[in-house]
Amino acid sequence: MPDWMALYYDRPLEITHGEGRHVWDAEGNRYLDFFAGILTTMTAHALPEVTKAVADQAGRIIHSSTLYLNRPMVELAERVAALSGIPDARVFFTTSGTEANDAALLLATTYRRSNQVLAMRNSYHGRSFSTVSITGNRGWSPTSLSPLQTLYVHGAVRTRGPFAALTDAQFTEACVADLQDVLGQTRGSVAALIAEPIQGIGGFTSPPDGLYAAFREVLDRHGILWISDEVQTGWGRTGDHFWGWQAHAENGPPDILTFAKGIGNGMSIGGVVARAEVMNCLDANSISTFGGSPVTMAAGLANLGYLLEHDLQGNARRVGGLLLERLRAIGATVPHVRDVRGRGLMAGIELTHPGTDRAHPEATAAVLEATRAAGLLIGRGGGHDTSVLRIAPPLSLTVAEAEEGAEILEQALRSL
Ligand code: PMP
């Protein structure tokens, strides 16, 4: 396996099984899982409803390809289309978030006959050749070679950069002016703006609510499409909304939405949603051998059904709200904590050298090790310095589990 396949922890962890919000390692240690395999175990580990759907479907047929219809794929497409908020929506299933964004870029650049794309600074959109070229984070973008011409825009990072000291309204105004300035300097048409409503790998950073709606007004004047990368923010994780774009909804939904991670609860499902006119603009055939496979689609249907029936978005809002409140209180008393931010069950704790804005990746690593030793798994992110702790448990997290995790985090932060 490649050297660049990053593993967490000095002594990497082998996870063997899970249940609910817990996982076990090969040595028999149990952990409370506050990272959910990168925000992907959405409902719970070993959720009987999902496990049964997978087993039942695997017993019938595992694979057929998109050359043939399968009922779970059509049913899931219909549910996702209805939930997306995009009128006259079409859904194409892929096997990952990278591939979903790649499909979105193919659609937008073909529809607009332009290879120019606007992306946000500090973004992450995947590991393929096309998606690393719209990833505004050098820690995750190994080459500057690109099939696209990418123009980076301000706005996704509220508490750093040249506009950090402004009020929310002034910040949005400055970012809109920056967008207009970039467009004014650009020759020819621009295909799309792609943005994560809350940046994931970037360290759970986000703009003030409404910023992308303000961008939308400008984009509309140029016919530029808005792609919302909902790979981390979809399915109610942010608590307040089902999709992250809904915090920026004043001027309507995005033209294209991409999703992955949580929908399959770990089965590999990604996908792209677009209105028919955009989705159908490709005039060559396309297939996906594995996209929309019966087993993954059956898992997605069962998982989505469970999420909606148990109002896990509401749980993310309630339990996530309590957790964030607790983390903010802890953060206020730990000198290494520069910022505690997030929404729903997406919480970020940014660590710096006390009293400065200087990233402190060693402190982040120390907290990761200390929480692991105490039986809690968390993630990290935040620009190339990766000095943000990321907390994103399954959306069924209980209040007791939130308290237990916060307790462990508090101890680890105090030990810095
Ligand atoms: N977009 C975002 C916002 C992501 O966080 C990720 C994965 N971390 C991707 C795209 C790529 O998804 P995948 O790893 O499934 O290819």
Side-chain angles (χ1 to χ4, degrees):
M1 295 168 108
D3 285 353
W4 41 260
M5 204 183 79
L7 290 169
Y8 276 169
Y9 305 116
D10 290 342
R11 257 188 331 114
L13 197 56
E14 179 190 351
I15 292 179
T16 53
H17 62 288
E19 192 185 329
R21 274 73 50 199
H22 288 90
V23 293
W24 282 258
D25 71 14
E27 291 160 9
N29 301 306
R30 188 178 91 137
Y31 303 89
L32 183 56
D33 185 3
F34 268 22
F35 205 41
I38 325 180
L39 297 86
T40 297
T41 304
M42 173 169 80
T43 47
H45 288 285
L47 189 75
E49 286 82 347
V50 173
T51 309
K52 181 172 186 315
V54 169
D56 288 354
Q57 182 58 51
R60 285 192 291 274
I61 187 165
I62 291 175
H63 176 72
S64 56
S65 88
T66 54
L67 296 175
Y68 309 98
L69 287 172
N70 80 68
R71 192 165 291 272
M73 175 174 72
V74 175
E75 285 181 10
L76 188 58
E78 284 174 347
R79 293 206 83 170
V80 172
L83 287 164
S84 72
I86 295 179
D88 195 20
R90 299 291 186 274
V91 180
F92 177 69
F93 289 111
T94 65
T95 59
S96 68
T98 296
E99 207 191 332
N101 283 332
D102 187 83
L105 292 167
L106 180 65
L107 291 175
T109 54
T110 307
Y111 182 79
R112 292 278 296 153
R113 306 222 147 276
S114 162
N115 73 332
Q116 299 197 85
V117 174
L118 298 157
M120 306 306 292
R121 293 170 186 211
N122 198 51
S123 59
Y124 181 84
H125 295 290
R127 49 150 294 282
S128 68
F129 189 50
S130 72
T131 54
V132 295
S133 67
I134 50 164
T135 287
N137 176 340
R138 72 164 193 248
W140 295 93
S141 187
T143 174
S144 62
L145 294 174
S146 171
L148 302 166
Q149 188 180 355
T150 306
L151 306 155
Y152 287 103
V153 182
H154 282 293
V157 181
R158 180 67 187 87
T159 70
R160 282 182 180 270
F163 307 143
L166 303 179
T167 65
D168 279 357
Q170 290 168 337
F171 181 91
T172 298
E173 212 173 288
C175 294
V176 168
D178 172 63
L179 172 65
Q180 283 171 320
D181 189 52
V182 169
L183 291 173
Q185 305 293 330
T186 304
R187 186 177 293 280
S189 60
V190 171
L193 169 102
I194 184 163
E196 305 153 83
I198 298 175
Q199 293 186 323
I201 284 180
F204 291 173
T205 57
S206 57
D209 285 0
L211 178 120
Y212 292 117
F215 275 13
R216 174 94 219 220
E217 248 181 79
V218 178
L219 301 178
D220 276 353
R221 289 205 284 278
H222 298 263
I224 300 167
L225 303 178
W226 172 25
I227 305 171
S228 189
D229 178 342
E230 300 279 351
V231 167
Q232 298 218 2
T233 47
W235 319 110
R237 175 163 291 280
T238 67
D240 294 336
H241 307 103
F242 194 75
W243 304 108
W245 70 259
Q246 289 167 323
H248 310 268
E250 291 84 343
N251 296 317
D255 299 286
I256 302 178
L257 178 158
T258 58
F259 61 85
K261 293 206 190 282
I263 180 64
N265 219 33
M267 297 298 278
S268 59
I269 306 176
V272 54
V273 191
R275 58 176 201 275
E277 184 201 3
V278 175
M279 183 68 89
N280 294 332
C281 78
L282 305 182
D283 67 359
N285 292 320
S286 205
I287 57 162
S288 177
T289 302
F290 294 123
S293 95
V295 175
T296 62
M297 296 291 107
L301 267 178
N303 197 39
L304 181 60
Y306 187 92
L307 175 97
L308 296 172
E309 280 154 30
H310 294 80
D311 185 23
L312 295 192
Q313 179 187 333
N315 194 64
R317 187 174 55 244
R318 284 186 301 275
V319 181
L322 290 172
L323 181 58
L324 264 165
E325 207 175 294
R326 178 82 196 273
L327 296 177
R328 285 202 173 99
I330 297 166
T333 64
V334 175
H336 285 81
V337 175
R338 176 181 183 267
D339 190 26
V340 178
R341 56 184 173 245
R343 190 164 215 158
L345 282 170
M346 257 180 122
I349 304 175
E350 184 180 346
L351 303 182
T352 51
H353 291 268
T356 76
D357 279 344
R358 221 153 33 88
H360 203 329
E362 299 80 14
T364 317
V367 174
L368 243 75
E369 296 293 344
T371 46
R372 178 231 177 127
L376 176 72
L377 302 187
I378 59 171
R380 65 187 297 185
H384 60 273
D385 292 323
T386 61
S387 63
V388 180
L389 305 170
R390 289 198 293 157
I391 291 141
L395 303 186
S396 56
L397 188 76
T398 67
V399 172
E401 289 162 345
E403 277 168 6
E404 184 192 336
E407 198 74 39
I408 296 172
L409 265 164
E410 178 169 8
Q411 301 278 331
L413 285 165
R414 292 207 187 289
S415 72
L416 281 174

